[in-house]
């Protein structure tokens, strides 16, 4: 195991599922788009089904088709992109349910024979979905009505209450249809936001909302990479491209086998840190495609020791902050040449 690795703790994933189910008192319908935020949808969905989840959301048709092949007929899978042009036959063949976003999607789905689907109402985000005043009357096959919060990670934003009230009003039109509203942030906004089922992503995977997970949420993913070489750098010499770090005192530097091609973003600021040999230590200079340098002065480390880029000892939201981004982007950026391994 001498490569960069994303280790997924499936027991922690199940614990986060149970935490959100208890917190909201509702079925958890996980969002597993982008290959379960980079963690691997097949393994994660299998474990979430053991935890009791029955309904899942992906973004793309291709993700839905791949997930259906990986996990079989049992789960309900909604495709958030909806019935895009030319997609109806493939949706039906794979037993996927489109979330209908606009009138053309609805006619496409119905002309292809219709069947179970969701309906997305836009309550203010202006991304996907019908405006409330344009929303269609209830129709055959409608199995879910949903909307999405724009500011759920800002609990004090008045936008949350406005969207909630708008959704509560429109969903009365679809009285018997199950309603889904809360993403991860929404799960923490209180019972008014829960409706019939919740639709979290990032909190299942151990991240935010609010850039700081609730203490009940456990880290799930550990991104680690091996030390390839340890070297002494004398005062006045420099490390990496463009002399990104100049030693003002003698340094012990570990070259680690993870770079931007593995998903360690080059924009990681000079504040970037990794966890190594029991300590948080700074990344030095520029991140290159396949490697980065860490200051391990005074630590007892050798080739082959592993460095944690994020995980239980280096919270992903902290790593994201140092990169000027959010946990979502760090997770979905972990490269395809990084091994995914699963425990639990
Ligand atoms: C991504 C997404 C979610 C999940 O959001 P999190 O913030 O990761 O919990 C829920 N609903 C929709 C429509 C989404 O696009």
């Amino acid at each position: 195991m001498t490569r960069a690795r994303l280790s997924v703790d499936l027991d922690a994933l199940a614990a986060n599922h149970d935490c959100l189910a208890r917190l909201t008192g509702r079925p958890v319908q996980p969002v597993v788009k982008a290959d379960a935020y980079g963690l691997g949808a097949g393994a994660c969905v299998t474990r979430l089904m053991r935890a009791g989840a029955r309904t899942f959301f992906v973004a793309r048709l291709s993700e839905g088709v791949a997930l259906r092949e990986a996990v079989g007929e049992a789960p309900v899978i909604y495709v958030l992109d909806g019935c895009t042009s030319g997609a109806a036959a493939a949706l039906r063949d794979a037993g996927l349910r489109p979330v209908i976003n606009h009138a053309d999607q609805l006619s496409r789905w119905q002309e292809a024979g219709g069947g179970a689907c969701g309906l997305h109402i836009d309550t203010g985000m202006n991304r996907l979905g019908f405006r409330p005043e344009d929303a269609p009357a209830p129709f055959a096959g409608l199995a879910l009505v949903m909307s999405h919060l724009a500011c759920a990670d800002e609990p004090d934003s008045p936008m949350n209450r406005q969207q909630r009230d708008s959704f509560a009003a429109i969903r009365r039109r679809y009285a018997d249809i199950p309603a889904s509203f809360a993403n991860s942030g929404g799960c923490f906004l209180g019972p008014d936001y829960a409706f019939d089922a919740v639709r979290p992503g990032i909190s299942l995977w151990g991240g935010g909302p609010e850039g700081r997970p609730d203490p009940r949420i456990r880290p799930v993913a550990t991104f680690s990479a091996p030390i390839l070489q340890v070297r002494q750098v004398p005062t006045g010499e420099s490390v990496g491209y463009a002399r990104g770090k100049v030693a003002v005192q003698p340094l012990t530097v570990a070259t680690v086998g993870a770079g931007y091609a593995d998903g360690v973003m080059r924009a990681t600021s000079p504040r970037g840190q990794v966890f190594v040999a029991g300590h948080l230590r700074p990344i030095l200079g520029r991140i290159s495609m396949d490697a980065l340098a860490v200051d391990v002065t005074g630590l007892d480390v050798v080739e082959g020791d592993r460095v944690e880029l994020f995980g239980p000892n280096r919270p992903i939201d902290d790593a994201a902050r140092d990169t000027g981004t959010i946990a979502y982007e760090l997770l979905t950026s972990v490269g395809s040449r990084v091994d995914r391994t699963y425990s639990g």
Side-chain angles (χ1 to χ4, degrees), residues 31 33 37 80 120 127 146-148 181-185 199-203 205 328:
V31 178
K33 59 195 179 187
Y37 292 43
L80 291 165
H120 194 153
R127 187 174 70 171
M146 58 163 273
S147 189
H148 190 48
F181 187 60
N183 64 345
S184 297
R199 209 174 62 238
I202 196 70
S203 287
W205 320 116
Y328 302 71

Side-chain angles (χ1 to χ4, degrees), residues 46-57:
T46 301
R47 187 68 183 83
L48 286 163
M49 288 175 70
R50 264 175 59 205
R54 291 291 172 269
T55 298
F56 298 85
F57 291 84

Side-chain angles (χ1 to χ4, degrees), residues 264-316:
V264 186
M265 285 177 205
R266 198 167 169 283
T268 299
S269 80
R271 291 194 313 277
Q273 292 186 316
V274 301
F275 185 79
V276 52
H279 299 267
L280 280 178
R281 281 308 183 88
I283 294 174
L284 299 176
R286 302 265 171 101
I287 289 164
S288 51
M289 187 183 293
D290 312 305
L292 56 81
V294 177
D295 181 354
V296 292
T297 307
L299 298 183
D300 185 18
V301 297
V302 295
E303 180 194 355
D305 286 354
R306 295 192 76 86
V307 161
E308 184 179 311
L309 295 142
F310 59 71
N313 301 296
R314 173 64 176 152
I316 186 165

